[in-house]
Coordinates of all heavy atoms in Angstrom, one line a residue:
Q442 N -6.7 -5.7 -7.6 CA -6.0 -5.2 -8.9 C -4.9 -4.2 -8.7 O -3.9 -4.2 -9.4 CB -7.2 -4.5 -9.7 CG -8.2 -5.5 -10.2 CD -9.5 -4.8 -10.6 OE1 -10.3 -4.5 -9.6 NE2 -9.9 -4.7 -11.9
V443 N -4.9 -3.5 -7.6 CA -3.8 -2.6 -7.2 C -3.4 -2.8 -5.8 O -4.3 -2.9 -5.0 CB -4.2 -1.1 -7.5 CG1 -2.9 -0.2 -7.4 CG2 -4.8 -0.8 -8.9
A444 N -2.1 -2.8 -5.5 CA -1.7 -2.8 -4.0 C -0.9 -1.6 -3.8 O 0.1 -1.3 -4.6 CB -1.0 -4.1 -3.7
S445 N -1.2 -0.9 -2.7 CA -0.5 0.3 -2.4 C 0.3 0.1 -1.2 O -0.2 -0.3 -0.1 CB -1.4 1.4 -2.0 OG -0.8 2.7 -2.1
M446 N 1.7 0.2 -1.3 CA 2.6 -0.1 -0.2 C 3.4 1.1 0.1 O 4.5 1.4 -0.4 CB 3.5 -1.3 -0.5 CG 2.6 -2.6 -0.6 SD 3.6 -4.1 -0.8 CE 4.3 -4.3 0.9
S447 N 2.9 2.0 1.0 CA 3.6 3.1 1.5 C 4.5 2.7 2.7 O 4.5 3.1 3.8 CB 2.7 4.3 2.0 OG 2.1 4.8 0.9
L448 N 5.4 1.8 2.4 CA 6.3 1.3 3.5 C 7.5 0.7 2.8 O 7.5 0.5 1.6 CB 5.6 0.2 4.3 CG 5.0 -1.1 3.5 CD1 6.1 -2.0 3.2 CD2 4.0 -1.8 4.5
G449 N 8.6 0.7 3.6 CA 9.8 0.1 3.0 C 10.9 -0.1 4.0 O 10.8 0.5 5.0
A450 N 11.9 -0.9 3.6 CA 13.1 -1.1 4.4 C 14.3 -0.8 3.6 O 14.2 -1.0 2.4 CB 13.1 -2.6 4.9
D451 N 15.3 -0.4 4.1 CA 16.6 -0.1 3.4 C 17.3 -1.4 3.0 O 17.8 -1.3 1.9 CB 17.6 0.6 4.4 CG 17.1 2.0 4.8 OD1 16.3 2.5 4.0 OD2 17.6 2.5 5.7
Q452 N 17.0 -2.4 3.6 CA 17.5 -3.8 3.2 C 16.4 -4.6 3.0 O 15.5 -4.8 3.9 CB 18.4 -4.3 4.2 CG 19.9 -4.0 4.0 CD 20.8 -4.8 4.9 OE1 20.6 -5.2 5.9 NE2 21.8 -5.4 4.2
G453 N 16.2 -5.4 1.8 CA 15.2 -6.4 1.7 C 15.8 -7.8 1.9 O 16.8 -7.9 2.5
N454 N 15.1 -8.7 1.3 CA 15.6 -10.1 1.3 C 15.0 -10.7 0.0 O 14.1 -10.4 -0.5 CB 15.5 -10.9 2.7 CG 14.1 -11.2 2.9 OD1 13.2 -11.3 2.1 ND2 13.9 -11.6 4.2
D455 N 15.5 -12.0 -0.2 CA 15.0 -12.7 -1.4 C 13.5 -13.1 -1.4 O 12.8 -13.1 -2.4 CB 15.9 -14.0 -1.7 CG 17.3 -13.7 -2.1 OD1 17.5 -12.4 -2.7 OD2 18.2 -14.5 -2.1
S456 N 13.2 -13.4 -0.1 CA 11.6 -13.7 0.1 C 10.8 -12.5 -0.3 O 9.9 -12.7 -1.2 CB 11.3 -14.1 1.5 OG 11.9 -15.3 1.8
L457 N 11.2 -11.4 0.0 CA 10.4 -10.1 -0.3 C 10.4 -9.9 -1.9 O 9.4 -9.6 -2.4 CB 10.9 -8.9 0.5 CG 10.1 -7.6 0.3 CD1 8.8 -7.7 0.9 CD2 10.9 -6.4 1.0
K458 N 11.7 -10.1 -2.4 CA 11.9 -9.8 -3.8 C 11.0 -10.9 -4.7 O 10.4 -10.5 -5.6 CB 13.4 -10.2 -4.2 CG 13.8 -9.9 -5.6 CD 15.3 -10.0 -5.8 CE 15.7 -9.8 -7.2 NZ 17.1 -10.1 -7.4
E459 N 11.0 -12.1 -4.1 CA 10.2 -13.2 -5.0 C 8.7 -12.9 -4.8 O 7.9 -13.1 -5.7 CB 10.5 -14.6 -4.5 CG 11.8 -15.0 -4.9 CD 12.3 -16.4 -4.4 OE1 11.5 -17.1 -3.7 OE2 13.5 -16.7 -4.6
T460 N 8.3 -12.3 -3.6 CA 6.9 -11.9 -3.5 C 6.4 -10.8 -4.4 O 5.4 -10.8 -4.9 CB 6.7 -11.5 -2.0 OG1 7.1 -12.5 -1.2 CG2 5.1 -11.4 -1.8
V461 N 7.3 -9.9 -4.6 CA 7.1 -8.7 -5.6 C 6.8 -9.3 -7.0 O 5.9 -8.9 -7.7 CB 8.2 -7.7 -5.5 CG1 8.0 -6.7 -6.7 CG2 8.2 -6.9 -4.2
A462 N 7.7 -10.2 -7.4 CA 7.6 -10.9 -8.6 C 6.3 -11.6 -8.8 O 5.7 -11.7 -9.8 CB 8.9 -11.7 -8.9
A463 N 6.0 -12.4 -7.7 CA 4.7 -13.2 -7.7 C 3.5 -12.3 -7.8 O 2.5 -12.7 -8.4 CB 4.7 -14.0 -6.5
M464 N 3.5 -11.1 -7.2 CA 2.4 -10.1 -7.3 C 2.3 -9.8 -8.8 O 1.1 -9.8 -9.3 CB 2.6 -8.9 -6.5 CG 2.4 -9.2 -5.0 SD 2.8 -7.8 -4.0 CE 1.1 -7.1 -3.9
A465 N 3.3 -9.5 -9.4 CA 3.2 -9.0 -10.9 C 2.7 -10.1 -11.7 O 1.8 -10.0 -12.5 CB 4.6 -8.5 -11.3
K466 N 3.2 -11.3 -11.4 CA 2.8 -12.6 -12.1 C 1.3 -12.9 -11.8 O 0.6 -13.3 -12.7 CB 3.6 -13.7 -11.7 CG 3.6 -14.9 -12.7 CD 4.5 -15.9 -12.3 CE 4.3 -17.3 -13.0 NZ 4.8 -18.5 -12.4
G467 N 0.9 -12.5 -10.7 CA -0.5 -12.9 -10.2 C -1.5 -11.7 -10.6 O -2.7 -11.8 -10.1
G468 N -1.1 -10.7 -11.3 CA -2.0 -9.8 -11.8 C -2.2 -8.6 -11.0 O -3.1 -7.7 -11.1
V469 N -1.4 -8.4 -9.9 CA -1.6 -7.3 -9.0 C -0.5 -6.2 -9.3 O 0.6 -6.5 -9.4 CB -1.3 -7.7 -7.5 CG1 -1.6 -6.5 -6.5 CG2 -2.3 -8.9 -7.1
T470 N -1.0 -5.0 -9.5 CA -0.1 -3.9 -9.9 C 0.3 -3.3 -8.5 O -0.6 -2.8 -7.8 CB -0.8 -2.8 -10.6 OG1 -1.3 -3.4 -11.9 CG2 0.1 -1.6 -10.9
L471 N 1.6 -3.4 -8.2 CA 2.1 -2.9 -6.9 C 2.7 -1.5 -7.0 O 3.7 -1.4 -7.8 CB 3.2 -4.0 -6.5 CG 4.1 -3.5 -5.2 CD1 3.1 -3.1 -4.1 CD2 5.0 -4.6 -4.8
I472 N 2.2 -0.6 -6.3 CA 2.7 0.8 -6.3 C 3.4 0.9 -4.9 O 2.7 0.7 -3.9 CB 1.6 1.9 -6.4 CG1 0.6 1.4 -7.5 CG2 2.2 3.2 -6.6 CD1 1.0 1.7 -8.9
A473 N 4.7 1.3 -4.9 CA 5.4 1.3 -3.6 C 6.2 2.6 -3.5 O 6.7 3.2 -4.4 CB 6.2 0.0 -3.5
A474 N 6.3 3.0 -2.2 CA 7.0 4.2 -1.9 C 8.5 4.1 -2.2 O 9.2 3.1 -1.6 CB 6.9 4.6 -0.5
A475 N 9.3 5.0 -2.9 CA 10.6 4.9 -3.2 C 11.4 5.0 -1.9 O 12.5 4.3 -1.8 CB 11.0 6.0 -4.2
G476 N 11.0 5.8 -1.0 CA 11.7 6.0 0.3 C 12.1 7.4 0.5 O 11.9 8.2 -0.4
N477 N 12.3 7.7 1.7 CA 12.7 9.1 2.1 C 14.2 9.2 2.4 O 14.5 10.0 3.4 CB 11.9 9.5 3.3 CG 10.4 9.6 2.9 OD1 10.0 9.5 1.8 ND2 9.5 9.8 3.9
S478 N 15.1 8.5 1.8 CA 16.4 8.6 2.1 C 17.2 9.7 1.5 O 18.4 9.8 1.6 CB 17.1 7.2 1.8 OG 16.5 6.1 2.5
G479 N 16.6 10.5 0.5 CA 17.2 11.6 0.0 C 18.2 11.3 -1.0 O 18.3 10.2 -1.6
P480 N 18.9 12.5 -1.4 CA 19.9 12.2 -2.5 C 21.0 11.3 -2.1 O 21.2 10.9 -1.0 CB 20.5 13.7 -2.6 CG 19.6 14.6 -2.0 CD 18.9 13.8 -0.8
G481 N 21.5 10.7 -3.2 CA 22.6 9.6 -3.0 C 22.5 8.6 -4.2 O 21.3 8.7 -4.7
A482 N 23.3 7.8 -4.4 CA 23.3 6.9 -5.4 C 22.4 5.7 -4.9 O 22.9 5.1 -4.0 CB 24.7 6.4 -5.9
G483 N 21.4 5.4 -5.6 CA 20.7 4.1 -5.3 C 20.1 4.2 -3.9 O 20.4 3.3 -3.0
T484 N 19.2 5.1 -3.5 CA 18.6 5.2 -2.2 C 17.2 4.7 -2.1 O 16.5 4.7 -1.2 CB 18.7 6.6 -1.7 OG1 17.9 7.4 -2.5 CG2 20.1 7.1 -1.5
V485 N 16.8 4.0 -3.2 CA 15.4 3.4 -3.2 C 15.2 2.2 -2.3 O 16.2 1.3 -2.4 CB 14.9 3.0 -4.7 CG1 13.6 2.4 -4.7 CG2 14.9 4.3 -5.6
G486 N 14.3 2.1 -1.5 CA 14.2 1.0 -0.5 C 13.4 -0.2 -1.2 O 13.2 -0.2 -2.3
Y487 N 12.9 -1.0 -0.2 CA 12.4 -2.3 -0.8 C 11.0 -2.5 0.1 O 11.1 -2.2 1.3 CB 13.2 -3.6 -0.5 CG 14.5 -3.3 -1.2 CD1 15.7 -2.8 -0.5 CD2 14.7 -3.6 -2.6 CE1 16.9 -2.5 -1.3 CE2 15.8 -3.3 -3.2 CZ 16.9 -2.8 -2.6 OH 18.2 -2.6 -3.3
P488 N 9.9 -2.9 -0.6 CA 9.9 -3.6 -1.8 C 10.0 -2.7 -3.1 O 10.1 -3.3 -4.2 CB 8.5 -4.3 -1.8 CG 7.7 -3.3 -0.9 CD 8.7 -2.8 0.1
A489 N 9.9 -1.4 -3.1 CA 9.9 -0.6 -4.2 C 11.0 -0.8 -5.2 O 10.8 -0.7 -6.4 CB 9.8 1.0 -3.9
G490 N 12.2 -1.1 -4.8 CA 13.3 -1.3 -5.7 C 13.4 -2.6 -6.4 O 14.3 -2.8 -7.1
Y491 N 12.4 -3.5 -6.1 CA 12.5 -4.9 -6.8 C 11.7 -4.8 -8.1 O 10.8 -4.1 -8.3 CB 11.9 -5.9 -5.9 CG 12.8 -6.3 -4.8 CD1 12.3 -6.4 -3.5 CD2 14.2 -6.5 -4.9 CE1 13.0 -6.7 -2.4 CE2 15.0 -6.9 -3.8 CZ 14.3 -6.9 -2.6 OH 15.1 -7.3 -1.5
P492 N 12.2 -5.6 -9.1 CA 11.5 -5.8 -10.4 C 10.1 -6.2 -10.2 O 9.9 -7.2 -9.4 CB 12.3 -6.8 -11.2 CG 13.6 -6.8 -10.5 CD 13.4 -6.4 -9.1
G493 N 9.1 -5.5 -10.8 CA 7.7 -5.9 -10.6 C 6.9 -4.8 -9.7 O 5.8 -4.9 -9.7
A494 N 7.7 -4.0 -9.0 CA 7.1 -3.0 -8.3 C 7.2 -1.6 -9.0 O 8.1 -1.5 -9.8 CB 7.8 -2.8 -6.8
I495 N 6.2 -0.6 -8.8 CA 6.3 0.6 -9.4 C 6.6 1.6 -8.3 O 5.9 1.9 -7.4 CB 5.0 0.9 -10.0 CG1 4.7 -0.1 -11.2 CG2 5.0 2.4 -10.6 CD1 3.4 0.1 -11.9
A496 N 7.9 2.1 -8.4 CA 8.5 3.0 -7.3 C 8.2 4.4 -7.5 O 8.3 5.0 -8.6 CB 9.9 2.8 -7.2
I497 N 7.6 5.1 -6.4 CA 7.1 6.4 -6.5 C 8.0 7.4 -5.7 O 8.1 7.2 -4.5 CB 5.6 6.6 -6.1 CG1 4.9 5.5 -6.8 CG2 5.1 7.9 -6.3 CD1 4.8 5.6 -8.4
A498 N 8.4 8.5 -6.3 CA 9.1 9.6 -5.6 C 8.1 10.7 -5.3 O 7.0 10.6 -5.8 CB 10.2 10.1 -6.6
A499 N 8.6 11.7 -4.5 CA 7.7 12.7 -4.0 C 8.1 14.1 -4.4 O 9.4 14.5 -4.6 CB 7.7 12.7 -2.5
M500 N 7.1 15.0 -4.8 CA 7.4 16.3 -5.2 C 6.5 17.3 -4.4 O 5.6 16.8 -3.7 CB 7.1 16.5 -6.7 CG 5.6 16.2 -7.1 SD 5.3 16.2 -8.8 CE 4.0 17.4 -8.9
D501 N 6.9 18.6 -4.4 CA 6.1 19.5 -3.7 C 5.1 20.3 -4.7 O 5.1 19.9 -5.9 CB 7.0 20.5 -2.9 CG 7.8 21.4 -3.8 OD1 7.6 21.5 -5.0 OD2 8.7 22.0 -3.3
S502 N 4.4 21.2 -4.3 CA 3.4 21.9 -5.1 C 4.0 22.9 -6.1 O 3.2 23.5 -7.0 CB 2.4 22.5 -4.2 OG 3.1 23.5 -3.4
S503 N 5.3 23.0 -6.0 CA 6.0 23.8 -7.1 C 6.7 22.9 -8.1 O 7.6 23.3 -8.8 CB 7.0 24.7 -6.4 OG 6.6 25.5 -5.4
D504 N 6.3 21.6 -8.2 CA 6.9 20.7 -9.1 C 8.5 20.4 -8.8 O 9.1 20.1 -9.7 CB 6.8 21.0 -10.5 CG 5.4 20.7 -11.0 OD1 4.5 20.2 -10.3 OD2 5.2 20.8 -12.3
K505 N 8.8 20.6 -7.5 CA 10.3 20.4 -7.1 C 10.3 19.1 -6.4 O 9.4 18.7 -5.6 CB 10.7 21.5 -6.1 CG 10.9 22.9 -6.9 CD 12.0 23.6 -6.2 CE 12.5 24.8 -7.1 NZ 11.4 25.6 -7.7
T506 N 11.3 18.2 -6.8 CA 11.5 17.1 -6.0 C 11.7 17.3 -4.6 O 12.5 18.2 -4.2 CB 12.8 16.3 -6.6 OG1 12.7 16.2 -7.9 CG2 13.0 14.9 -6.0
A507 N 11.0 16.5 -3.7 CA 11.2 16.8 -2.3 C 12.6 16.4 -1.8 O 13.2 15.4 -2.4 CB 10.2 15.8 -1.5
D508 N 13.2 17.1 -1.0 CA 14.6 17.0 -0.7 C 14.8 15.5 0.0 O 15.8 14.9 -0.1 CB 15.0 18.1 0.3 CG 14.1 18.2 1.6 OD1 13.2 17.4 1.7 OD2 14.5 19.0 2.5
F509 N 13.7 15.0 0.6 CA 13.9 13.7 1.3 C 13.6 12.6 0.4 O 14.0 11.4 0.7 CB 12.8 13.6 2.5 CG 11.4 13.8 2.0 CD1 10.7 12.9 1.3 CD2 10.7 14.9 2.3 CE1 9.4 13.1 0.9 CE2 9.4 15.2 1.9 CZ 8.7 14.3 1.2
S510 N 13.2 12.8 -0.9 CA 12.8 11.8 -1.7 C 14.0 10.9 -2.2 O 15.0 11.4 -2.7 CB 12.0 12.3 -3.0 OG 11.5 11.3 -3.7
S511 N 13.8 9.6 -2.2 CA 14.9 8.7 -2.6 C 15.2 8.8 -4.1 O 14.2 9.1 -4.9 CB 14.6 7.3 -2.2 OG 14.7 7.0 -0.8
R512 N 16.3 8.5 -4.5 CA 16.7 8.7 -5.9 C 17.2 7.3 -6.3 O 17.8 6.5 -5.6 CB 17.8 9.7 -6.2 CG 17.4 11.1 -6.3 CD 17.1 11.8 -5.0 NE 17.1 13.3 -5.2 CZ 16.6 14.1 -4.3 NH1 16.0 13.7 -3.2 NH2 16.6 15.4 -4.5
G513 N 17.0 7.0 -7.7 CA 17.7 5.8 -8.2 C 16.9 5.4 -9.6 O 15.9 5.9 -9.8
P514 N 17.6 4.5 -10.2 CA 17.1 4.0 -11.5 C 15.7 3.3 -11.4 O 15.1 3.3 -12.3 CB 18.2 3.0 -12.0 CG 18.9 2.6 -10.8 CD 18.8 3.7 -9.8
Q515 N 15.3 2.9 -10.2 CA 14.0 2.2 -10.1 C 12.9 3.1 -10.0 O 11.7 2.7 -10.2 CB 13.9 1.3 -8.9 CG 15.1 0.3 -8.8 CD 16.2 0.7 -7.8 OE1 16.5 1.9 -7.7 NE2 16.8 -0.2 -7.1
V516 N 13.1 4.5 -9.8 CA 12.0 5.4 -9.6 C 11.3 5.5 -11.0 O 11.9 5.7 -12.1 CB 12.5 6.8 -9.4 CG1 11.4 7.9 -9.4 CG2 13.1 6.8 -7.9
A517 N 9.9 5.2 -10.9 CA 9.1 5.0 -12.1 C 8.3 6.3 -12.3 O 8.1 6.7 -13.5 CB 8.1 3.9 -12.0
F518 N 7.9 7.0 -11.3 CA 7.1 8.2 -11.4 C 7.3 9.1 -10.2 O 7.8 8.7 -9.2 CB 5.6 7.9 -11.5 CG 5.2 7.0 -12.7 CD1 4.9 5.7 -12.5 CD2 5.0 7.5 -14.0 CE1 4.7 4.9 -13.6 CE2 4.8 6.7 -15.0 CZ 4.5 5.4 -14.8
I519 N 6.9 10.3 -10.3 CA 6.9 11.2 -9.2 C 5.5 11.7 -8.9 O 4.7 11.9 -9.8 CB 7.9 12.4 -9.4 CG1 8.2 13.1 -8.1 CG2 7.4 13.3 -10.5 CD1 9.5 14.1 -8.2
A520 N 5.0 12.0 -7.7 CA 3.7 12.3 -7.4 C 3.8 13.2 -6.2 O 4.8 13.3 -5.4 CB 2.9 11.1 -7.0
P521 N 2.7 14.0 -5.9 CA 2.6 15.0 -4.9 C 2.9 14.3 -3.4 O 2.1 13.3 -3.1 CB 1.1 15.5 -4.9 CG 0.9 15.4 -6.3 CD 1.5 14.1 -6.7
G522 N 3.8 14.7 -2.7 CA 4.2 14.1 -1.4 C 4.5 15.1 -0.3 O 5.2 14.6 0.7
V523 N 4.4 16.3 -0.5 CA 4.6 17.3 0.5 C 3.4 18.0 1.0 O 2.7 18.7 0.1 CB 5.8 18.4 0.0 CG1 6.1 19.4 1.0 CG2 7.0 17.5 -0.4

Side-chain angles (χ1 to χ4, degrees):
Q442 289 159 287
V443 191
S445 198
M446 295 185 72
S447 286
L448 57 79
D451 293 338
Q452 272 200 309
N454 70 16
D455 287 344
S456 288
L457 187 64
K458 184 180 182 181
E459 285 175 10
T460 307
V461 171
M464 285 179 93
K466 199 177 164 198
V469 184
T470 300
L471 169 58
I472 316 281
N477 296 349
S478 301
T484 56
V485 174
Y487 303 98
Y491 288 132
I495 298 176
I497 309 303
M500 65 190 232
D501 67 15
S502 58
S503 311
D504 279 10
K505 292 209 162 49
T506 309
D508 57 358
F509 56 75
S510 189
S511 290
R512 274 82 163 160
Q515 304 102 324
V516 170
F518 300 101
I519 195 165
V523 177

